[in-house]
């Protein structure tokens, strides 16, 4: 049996445990000056705590590994201790690296052996609903080596010849058919061995983990994402996140 055809732990059965790695080590340059993005408050609670709760809300997730900004690792540990989190879930904090890719790898290195399925979830997507998390896990359990939640695009996308530092008009190279494009979100779900292999072998710049698995020649599948799984990147995204939280609180009141 070749390596490729042997059933991986994720495919072998339902005993496989699921862990979530949360890269949270970025500074949040595009959000503007202030604390590291994951530690900024949303509805009075750090964004990271929202993201951890979103992963722990899934009954399948029994470990959350937070990859913290190296200087704030101790602060992140005490934040996790001081906020209410489900009893059934364990937590680990590890210091992150210079790139998201490096931070994810450091999180993977900290995973105990019994975890056969791993989710990778941006701390910057604090409001992803639990149904999206469960849909991703289910698709991995059914045998997909890599699963990404994604949404159709509202905008038409053009490929250009980038103008570079001077700015200036950029010639359009192509207009891909919008109906075939998807904007991908997190959590992305993986057979653990596949993701580890991708991180060991793929070099060069990548903006998502599933892209590394594609480079191994494996099929990545898309499942429906959710509008509320948007990434908090720029100041306006904070306004939207606060509005989503306010609406949830209102709905919970009824
Ligand atoms: N991330 C990380 N380690 C890095 C860089 C990013 O763990 N060295 C994490 C961020 O904390 C975030 C996720 O990767 O949760 C997605 O990255 P992004 O939204 O780009 O966050 P930042 O890199 O913090 O933001 P910016 O690019 O604006 O600085
Ligand atoms: Mg970044």
């Amino acid at each position: 049996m070749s390596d490729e055809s042997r059933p991986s732990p994720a495919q072998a059965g339902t005993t496989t445990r699921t862990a979530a790695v949360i890269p949270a080590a970025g500074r949040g340059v595009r959000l503007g000056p202030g604390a590291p993005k994951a530690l900024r408050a949303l509805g009075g609670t750090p964004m990271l705590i929202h993201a951890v709760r979103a992963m722990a809300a899934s009954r399948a997730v029994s470990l959350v590994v937070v990859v913290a900004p190296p200087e704030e690792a101790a602060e992140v540990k005490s934040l996790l201790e001081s906020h209410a989190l489900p009893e059934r879930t364990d937590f680990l904090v590890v210091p992150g690296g210079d790139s998201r890719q490096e931070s994810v790898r450091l999180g993977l290195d900290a995973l105990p052996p019994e975890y056969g399925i791993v989710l990778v979830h941006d701390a910057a997507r604090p409001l992803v609903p639990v149904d999206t998390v469960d849909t991703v896990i289910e698709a991995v359990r059914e045998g997909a080596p890599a699963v990404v939640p994604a949404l159709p695009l509202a905008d038409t996308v053009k490929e250009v010849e980038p103008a570079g530092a001077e700015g200036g008009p950029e010639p359009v190279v192509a207009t891909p058919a919008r109906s075939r494009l998807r904007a991908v979100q997190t959590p992305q779900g993986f057979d653990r061995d596949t993701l580890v292999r991708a991180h060991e072998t793929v070099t060069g710049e990548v903006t998502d983990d599933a892209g590394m698995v594609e480079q191994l020649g494996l099929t990545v599948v898309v499942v429906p994402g959710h509008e509320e799984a948007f990434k908090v990147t720029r100041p306006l995204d904070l306004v939207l996140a606060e509005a989503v939280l306010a609406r949830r609180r209102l709905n919970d009141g009824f």
Side-chain angles (χ1 to χ4, degrees):
M1 225 187 227
S2 75
D3 260 355
E4 266 64 38
S5 57
R6 189 183 303 132
S8 63
Q11 295 161 327
T14 49
T15 54
T16 293
R17 290 174 158 227
T18 301
V21 171
I22 303 189
R27 304 308 302 181
V29 172
R30 287 169 290 179
L31 205 52
K37 180 159 73 178
L39 302 183
R40 299 205 208 180
L42 215 57
T45 302
M47 205 180 305
L48 172 64
I49 297 295
H50 290 283
V52 169
R53 283 180 175 154
M55 294 301 103
S58 167
R59 303 196 68 82
V61 173
S62 51
L63 172 68
V64 176
V65 179
V66 174
V67 188
E71 286 94 73
E72 282 86 2
E75 184 181 344
V76 165
K77 260 188 205 125
S78 55
L79 273 180
L80 289 172
E81 281 155 14
S82 63
H83 286 82
L85 298 162
E87 289 268 325
R88 62 171 183 269
T89 318
D90 287 334
F91 302 93
L92 279 176
V93 178
V94 299
D98 288 339
S99 65
R100 182 185 182 282
Q101 199 176 342
E102 176 77 359
S103 293
V104 171
R105 196 185 56 72
L106 290 165
L108 290 176
D109 286 348
L111 280 185
E114 64 268 27
Y115 291 89
I117 296 178
V118 52
L119 303 179
V120 179
H121 181 63
D122 293 327
R125 299 182 189 271
L127 303 178
V128 60
V130 67
D131 286 354
T132 307
V133 182
D134 285 335
T135 301
V136 170
I137 295 170
E138 201 44 48
V140 182
R141 281 181 169 170
E142 282 167 10
V147 179
V148 300
L151 291 176
L153 295 174
D155 295 324
T156 294
V157 172
K158 302 237 182 250
E159 182 184 349
V160 299
E161 198 55 66
E166 317 83 87
E170 301 177 311
V172 170
V173 173
T175 305
R178 191 175 64 191
S179 59
R180 293 175 60 87
L181 298 177
R182 300 289 181 268
V184 312
Q185 305 176 322
T186 73
Q188 300 191 350
F190 303 91
D191 162 56
R192 182 228 185 115
D193 293 342
T194 302
L195 184 60
V196 167
R197 189 152 61 89
H199 273 266
E200 282 167 357
T201 53
V202 175
T203 52
E205 210 203 321
V206 286
T207 53
D208 77 330
D209 300 281
M212 303 175 75
V213 173
E214 282 168 59
Q215 288 192 43
L216 292 180
L218 297 174
T219 301
V220 173
V221 299
V222 163
V223 296
H226 196 285
E227 270 188 336
E228 294 181 0
F230 67 93
K231 187 153 70 83
V232 175
T233 306
R234 297 179 192 83
L236 197 57
D237 300 322
L238 279 177
V239 178
L240 180 60
E242 293 287 359
V244 170
L245 271 183
R247 188 178 64 182
R248 283 187 190 174
R249 281 177 184 157
L250 205 67
N251 289 343
D252 288 349
F254 286 104

